[in-house]
Amino acid sequence: MSDLPIVLLPLGSDEDALDACLAALDAATPAGTAVWLADDARAGPRGIDIVERWLQRTRLRAEYTRRAHPIGEVAHLQEMLQACGDADVVVLAPDAR
């Protein structure tokens, strides 16, 4: 287990912000850090393409999940946190840089 926290990134619908966030995450996060990109069915086709391309080239241990139907930001974040159990986490806003 890593001493680094899991980075949780709930995806939004702004593809430009997502692209910039993922670039900043790659530039400023140690290689091998666990990152969970969680999509509450908000990202559009371009956003999904951005995520898929990023996953192919990132040096981070990244996973992407997408809900079939949205449940809302708060419920989605609560599910993410529960899935992480007692692990340390950092939650990023979808437009964080």
Side-chain angles (χ1 to χ4, degrees), residues 23-94:
L25 192 59
D26 252 345
T29 307
T33 299
V35 177
W36 180 8
L37 308 177
D39 185 354
D40 188 30
R42 296 184 66 199
R46 181 172 172 250
I48 294 169
D49 287 344
I50 289 168
V51 168
E52 288 174 351
R53 281 194 314 272
W54 182 80
L55 288 171
Q56 292 174 2
R57 69 176 188 270
T58 187
R59 61 193 185 14
L60 304 175
R61 265 187 318 118
E63 293 187 36
Y64 170 65
T65 59
R66 179 176 172 85
R67 295 188 60 79
H69 304 285
I71 60 171
E73 285 183 55
V74 174
H76 191 229
L77 181 57
Q78 182 178 4
E79 277 190 353
M80 293 169 67
L81 292 170
Q82 287 175 339
C84 291
D86 291 334
D88 291 331
V89 299
V90 172
V91 179
L92 293 181

